[in-house]
Amino acid sequence: MDVVAFAMHGGELQVLLVERGELPHARDWALPGGFVQPGEELHEAALRELRTETSVDLEPRHLEQFYTFGALGRDPRGRVVSVAHLAVLPHGTVQVTAGGHTVGAAWQRAHHPPRLAFDHRAILDRALGRLQLRLEYANLALDFLPDTFTLPELQTVHEAILNRKLDKRNFRKRLLAQGSLVPSGERRSGVGRPAQLYRRAKNVRSAAL
């Protein structure tokens, strides 16, 4: 069981990693994860490991199984099959601390992570691909934002996930045409003209399965 937990920090897509405290790969960065307990549902195990190893005590805005990794030799301790989960943590989830058998926990750049233990870089890369795919047919980007947000903030999420810049005019035209957003009736003051705030339309659900 491995969990790829994403959040936006400072306009950048970041992934939650832990520093292992035990062999194999002691002191290496890895994804939070562990073994499923008897009688435990897979999603329950994913949430337990996330909370135990990183001290994150918030329900993810989105949680899904996205791939099973079972290549021979992926774990030197023996044959281990991992059902990987993708999670989106609520906006503002910043503070994390080590717990369980980890000695560190930190947010790292999702597209440019440090060297990872086991096959966790392959798991992360597949999770990024899944995240990008979900932008095309679901409203997953909205789960990275607070309840109300500006269009530039939403575009920043898309660009951070896709790891490339988008044309502002085309982006706004396409998003507004989908009918997934409605004006909140509020504006945010800042430099220049106050920005219109939007929210998820009532008929638009979270991207969670």
Side-chain angles (χ1 to χ4, degrees), residues 18-209:
V18 296
E19 189 178 2
R20 289 178 55 81
E22 297 181 334
L23 293 173
H25 296 287
R27 295 289 179 173
D28 283 347
W29 289 103
L31 297 168
F35 296 103
V36 180
Q37 296 177 353
E40 189 175 38
E41 297 289 347
L42 292 178
H43 74 279
E44 293 173 344
L47 292 174
R48 174 179 54 78
E49 289 294 338
L50 188 60
R51 291 165 179 159
T52 299
E53 295 193 350
T54 68
S55 300
V56 169
D57 195 25
L58 295 171
E59 286 291 325
R61 297 280 301 271
H62 174 83
L63 180 68
E64 66 168 286
Q65 297 177 27
F66 71 93
Y67 200 76
T68 299
F69 294 82
L72 294 173
R74 65 176 300 272
D75 192 318
R77 293 168 294 187
R79 185 69 190 275
V80 176
V81 176
S82 177
V83 179
H85 285 65
L86 184 157
V88 176
L89 295 182
H91 176 79
T93 305
V94 178
Q95 296 298 326
V96 293
T97 57
H101 299 297
T102 66
V103 295
W107 290 102
Q108 305 277 3
R109 301 167 67 194
H111 290 287
H112 303 283
R115 184 172 63 88
L116 300 179
F118 306 107
D119 59 349
H120 288 191
R121 180 57 190 265
I123 296 176
L124 173 58
D125 287 345
R126 185 170 285 272
L128 286 168
R130 175 66 172 171
L131 200 59
Q132 292 168 349
L133 180 64
R134 296 289 265 166
L135 286 181
E136 298 301 321
Y137 69 93
N139 301 287
L140 188 56
L142 301 180
D143 289 331
F144 284 88
L145 294 165
D147 292 338
T148 58
F149 48 85
T150 65
L151 290 181
E153 288 170 341
L154 181 56
Q155 182 170 341
T156 296
V157 173
H158 278 256
E159 291 177 340
I161 292 173
L162 296 172
N163 200 28
R164 60 182 175 85
K165 290 292 185 181
L166 299 173
D167 179 79
K168 179 179 177 180
R169 177 177 294 182
N170 290 339
F171 174 81
R172 294 189 174 195
K173 181 178 179 181
R174 178 171 60 85
L175 261 292
L176 293 176
Q178 290 177 355
S180 59
L181 307 178
V182 293
S184 69
E186 302 174 343
R187 290 183 177 273
R188 180 179 299 156
S189 299
V191 178
R193 183 180 179 183
Q196 171 69 62
L197 291 173
Y198 290 83
R199 58 176 172 80
R200 188 194 305 261
K202 290 183 178 180
N203 63 332
V204 176
R205 297 182 178 181
S206 168
L209 296 177

Side-chain angles (χ1 to χ4, degrees), residues 3-14:
V3 184
V4 191
F6 294 108
M8 288 289 296
H9 296 303
E12 183 175 55
L13 181 67
Q14 299 200 352

